[in-house]
Amino acid sequence: MRVEPRSNPAKTKGLGPPTLEVADTRVALSRPLSQGAQAAVPLASAYLPPERTGAPTPLLVRNLEALLAKAGRLDPERDAPRLRTLLRAIDKQLGLMGHPGASELHPSRPPVAPKFTGDLQDPPGTLAGLKFLAHVLTHSPSAPEKVLGLLQLHPHPAQVLAHAAKLYPGITPEDRPRVAQALKDDLQIGGLGRAIEDQLGQLGLSARETEQFFAVFAEVREGFRIGAELGDDLQRVNWLHTRVEVLHTLEIAQSLGLSKKEAKAALYGSLFSDAFKDQSRYSLLWHNRPGAELIAPAVLGRHLDLNDPEAQALLAWTMRVAHEHQVTPPLFMAGPMRAALLEVVQALPEEKRAERMAAVEGIVQKITTPMAAPQHDGELQFSALEKQLLAQVGLPGWAVPHEAPWRLSSIAAIVGDVAQYVSWEGIIKIAVDLRDPGSPMPFMRDPVLCVTWLHDVAPDAAQTLAGRGQSGAIESSMEFSFSQGMSVVKEPKALAAMDEAKASAQGQLRQDVLPEIERRLREMLGVDPGAKTPPIPYWNQPIAEPGALSEAERGMVDRVKRVAAEVMAEIGGVPLDPFKLDGGKS
Amino acid sequence: MNLDEQPVEQLITRLGELRALGNSYGLSALPPPPELATEYAALEAELKRRQARPS
């Protein structure tokens, strides 16, 4: 019996067609698979332990697809018992794929508890998730055990898969024109589409490659739209961020002199790095990994011909770029990481905490200064205890840019991301969507929207704030967050380009944005031309007690924020309601 | 850490760090640890106290 090549030849390239050693694997697998799985024998005969040949398990993936196809033909209502039985069999198979051989072949390994089908309360959703997984495994250059291992660390992999299938079901031929047009309309705002096309042309992408990219871009946008429509407003905010990050990444790719191959990896890597966020607890820490390991192969697998070695390399590089995006901004990631790990440690008996607390600080230190921390092959090096803690918050590791052929692609995508803090999309996100003087969290409050403006109109008040270390919401994005994000970048050309981007944003802020906010606020308040602008809390008068706003202050803060968002959106070409979910009100 | 002994610039830098850190919690489903708010309030109070102190 010979193993057929799977649909992604990169997986078996150079390994030759391995011969199955059926007898012992059949015996090994017949026990775990015999309970309720009609497919035990074909699965067993297809099973090829990677340890024996160094090869992945191609037939397992194919059999998984066959089982899923079979499950898909069942009516979820009428055939519910059969469907559940089949899903359990698939679950077991996935457990074995994640940890080949499990307890039978390797008694020292603990048995894996398969959990890819969740509690089977939602068979159609579960099935869609499993089909999505099969699609990923078929197209991903990663070994199945890596993908499944990542999922197994998550507390609810079935939900992750069902959600991924919901966001990225694939675009039907009938729906393609609508999705393409929606992207085109969206990118027309602010002239983004033309700017991206120009950059792609300058990088030497052919018409076919450009068309392919926009088809992928449209599918990713559709994923964000579905997420936002399901009620997750951060998906709207994240889309605004992603749509311009693509342009910033291309611009920095030009500045760094990336080749077409490198630039394409940067482009797709930046597109997928934030393509899978959900409202689960560890999503911020985790999202780059599923973006890389699930969404990139799923979507690119639909658009690229993965028989082409160039396309295989593009996918592999893209996945690393999306992964390595995890590194920044270091402080942003280190904070929630510490919070997540502390939750884990504090749930332990007191005598176990001290040693683990030291490990928590070790992890946080490495993530805060990722480029100085020891790493191997783009993964930070952690002690056994640190790894164990990371696994408890769903993380198999932490990726960093390193000396690899795609290093500059990673840097371009990282800088493209950090550029958000000096671009209007990002400033709106931080200064208007996230920060508020009435926030229950003191570190999310600012006494004014923009201290630059305060400095011009009320220098004494600005001076007082400076002495107290206080600043404005806009500066929270343009100053500290920006410099934090750039702390991992050492390339002089990238630093120069970003200095220029910051100076340009500051110039536009002073010349266009702030005067226009002032003009609209005066108009709104009916101030006579030539008359002095009255004190406006949060604009030209600092909030005296952030966190304890009076009703009048609250009303004025909301007006200032709304006007600021509108002005920044108009000047910066940002569609505040890109999916028209708010009836175009916001 | 005894805030009394820290130079103003260091307190201001840390305050800025905590504000930036806050932004990441705004994007995360993880609640910030209570110590963060405590530290922020202590820094704010210390800076106000220093400002009020005659030079």
Side-chain angles (χ1 to χ4, degrees):
Chain A
M1 184 175 179
R2 293 170 74 82
V3 176
E4 300 288 328
R6 53 183 304 183
S7 52
N8 182 350
K11 294 231 177 206
T12 47
K13 196 177 172 186
L15 295 167
T19 305
L20 281 171
E21 295 171 34
V22 172
D24 51 350
T25 50
R26 178 179 291 156
V27 171
L29 289 175
S30 60
R31 267 174 293 161
L33 290 171
S34 62
Q35 296 155 5
Q38 303 157 358
V41 173
L43 279 178
S45 61
Y47 183 67
L48 180 67
E51 293 93 332
R52 287 175 181 271
T53 61
T57 52
L59 282 182
L60 262 187
V61 176
R62 275 222 320 246
N63 273 281
L64 173 63
E65 286 174 324
L67 281 168
L68 289 167
K70 191 174 174 184
R73 285 194 291 273
L74 298 176
D75 182 319
E77 300 295 325
R78 211 180 51 230
D79 302 320
R82 282 181 67 203
L83 181 54
R84 285 194 165 85
T85 303
L86 207 47
L87 288 173
R88 283 198 189 94
I90 293 167
D91 206 5
K92 282 187 176 166
Q93 186 190 5
L94 288 166
L96 288 162
M97 285 168 74
H99 291 257
S103 55
E104 275 75 17
L105 292 178
H106 299 279
S108 60
R109 290 189 191 175
V112 177
K115 53 181 183 176
F116 294 98
T117 53
D119 55 10
L120 293 176
Q121 288 300 304
D122 172 26
T126 303
L127 188 57
L130 289 170
K131 283 182 175 172
F132 181 87
L133 177 60
H135 174 70
V136 169
L137 293 174
T138 309
H139 294 92
S140 172
S142 295
E145 51 267 36
K146 184 178 179 191
V147 181
L148 298 170
L150 171 69
L151 282 163
Q152 279 184 324
L153 287 180
H154 194 281
H156 307 292
Q159 286 175 21
V160 167
L161 290 172
H163 193 59
K166 211 174 267 181
L167 299 187
Y168 297 99
I171 310 296
T172 61
E174 299 76 45
D175 216 15
R176 227 170 268 157
R178 177 190 67 78
V179 170
Q181 190 61 44
L183 176 71
K184 202 171 173 186
D185 294 345
D186 186 315
L187 296 183
Q188 232 165 21
I189 300 169
L192 202 59
R194 173 55 63 88
I196 291 171
E197 270 180 46
D198 287 350
Q199 290 285 342
L200 294 175
Q202 285 173 40
L203 284 162
L205 265 72
S206 66
R208 168 87 189 107
E209 288 170 314
T210 301
E211 188 189 330
Q212 204 165 44
F213 168 69
F214 277 106
V216 173
F217 203 3
E219 186 169 343
V220 171
R221 181 187 183 278
E222 185 66 357
F224 281 100
R225 187 195 67 77
I226 294 169
E229 202 169 58
L230 289 170
D232 183 358
D233 188 53
L234 277 181
Q235 289 293 85
R236 176 190 66 83
V237 174
N238 283 326
W239 164 248
L240 297 185
H241 163 58
T242 296
R243 72 192 275 285
V244 76
E245 180 179 325
V246 162
L247 176 63
H248 291 148
T249 299
L250 286 168
E251 287 170 345
I252 204 72
Q254 292 275 13
S255 301
L256 290 172
L258 263 62
S259 67
K260 183 169 94 171
K261 183 180 178 183
E262 289 170 320
K264 280 173 75 177
L267 181 65
Y268 282 116
S270 92
L271 191 57
F272 289 111
S273 61
D274 285 338
F276 189 75
K277 281 183 178 166
D278 59 20
Q279 291 172 303
S280 64
R281 208 160 181 73
Y282 304 136
S283 182
L284 180 78
L285 301 174
W286 199 66
H287 71 273
N288 295 100
R289 300 241 164 200
E293 292 290 352
L294 299 180
I295 311 303
V299 176
L300 286 183
R302 294 174 185 138
H303 294 268
L304 302 180
D305 173 11
L306 289 174
N307 290 308
D308 173 3
E310 258 187 53
Q312 292 165 15
L314 174 60
L315 174 57
W317 284 26
T318 294
M319 289 167 68
R320 277 311 303 180
V321 170
H323 251 168
E324 292 168 12
H325 202 290
Q326 193 167 37
V327 79
T328 193
L331 191 72
F332 272 33
M333 299 311 251
M337 173 69 86
R338 190 165 189 277
L341 295 173
L342 283 179
E343 275 187 350
V344 170
V345 172
Q346 278 159 5
L348 295 170
E350 200 160 345
E351 67 272 14
K352 291 191 173 175
R353 288 186 203 161
E355 190 189 8
R356 280 163 182 79
M357 276 308 296
V360 168
E361 295 310 330
I363 294 169
V364 170
Q365 177 60 33
K366 286 172 188 169
I367 288 171
T368 307
T369 52
M371 307 310 276
Q375 58 99 355
H376 178 68
D377 258 358
E379 293 285 335
L380 289 185
Q381 297 290 283
F382 294 105
S383 70
L385 187 56
E386 289 170 345
K387 275 186 199 163
Q388 196 188 324
L389 279 168
L390 284 170
Q392 285 181 272
V393 296
L395 287 162
W398 201 255
V400 285
H402 59 298
E403 285 308 324
W406 58 85
R407 192 183 79 86
L408 284 178
S409 309
S410 277
I411 297 295
I414 284 168
V415 177
D417 177 51
V418 175
Q420 68 171 302
Y421 300 113
V422 291
S423 71
W424 301 113
E425 289 81 356
I427 295 170
I428 293 170
K429 174 169 85 176
I430 301 279
V432 179
D433 293 334
L434 295 183
R435 303 190 69 82
D436 189 278
S439 167
M441 294 183 277
F443 39 82
M444 294 301 282
R445 302 172 193 149
D446 308 284
V448 284
L449 175 77
C450 180
V451 86
T452 305
W453 181 255
L454 189 72
H455 201 271
D456 287 351
V457 298
D460 290 348
Q463 195 60 38
T464 305
L465 292 188
R468 292 179 188 170
Q470 298 290 352
S471 186
I474 286 179
E475 284 79 9
S476 169
S477 182
M478 292 180 87
E479 298 298 338
F480 204 91
S481 298
F482 177 72
S483 57
Q484 241 303 302
M486 287 302 291
S487 67
V488 298
V489 179
K490 302 292 170 225
E491 279 67 19
K493 283 179 183 168
L495 293 171
M498 283 297 100
D499 280 348
E500 202 178 304
K502 183 179 171 182
S504 163
Q506 282 173 326
Q508 203 173 27
L509 178 73
R510 271 183 178 281
Q511 283 159 32
D512 304 323
V513 173
L514 297 174
E516 181 59 13
I517 296 174
E518 166 85 353
R519 192 191 69 73
R520 290 193 193 186
L521 286 172
R522 284 173 62 92
E523 190 179 84
M524 190 183 276
L525 296 171
V527 180
D528 288 334
K532 198 171 175 240
T533 308
I536 301 175
Y538 200 56
W539 175 239
N540 56 16
Q541 182 185 58
I543 299 284
E545 284 295 328
L549 302 181
S550 68
E551 205 174 311
E553 281 177 323
R554 180 71 262 171
M556 196 51 80
V557 167
D558 288 342
R559 288 167 94 169
V560 170
K561 287 179 74 172
R562 194 171 58 245
V563 168
E566 283 167 5
V567 170
M568 289 190 272
E570 281 172 32
I571 290 176
V574 183
L576 290 179
D577 183 18
F579 306 130
K580 308 287 181 285
L581 298 178
D582 196 20
K585 280 179 287 178
S586 53
Chain B
M1 180 171 72
N2 191 349
L3 295 182
D4 256 354
E5 295 163 8
Q6 305 297 319
V8 169
E9 296 70 27
Q10 205 166 311
L11 299 180
I12 289 176
T13 301
R14 180 62 184 156
L15 206 68
E17 268 182 13
L18 294 181
R19 276 205 299 274
L21 203 50
N23 294 340
S24 64
Y25 286 104
L27 293 167
S28 162
L30 277 162
E35 305 88 77
L36 215 60
T38 311
E39 185 186 355
Y40 191 86
L43 283 164
E44 264 191 330
E46 176 62 17
L47 283 162
K48 272 187 189 171
R49 195 181 66 76
R50 300 252 188 125
Q51 202 173 39
R53 196 166 56 192
S55 52

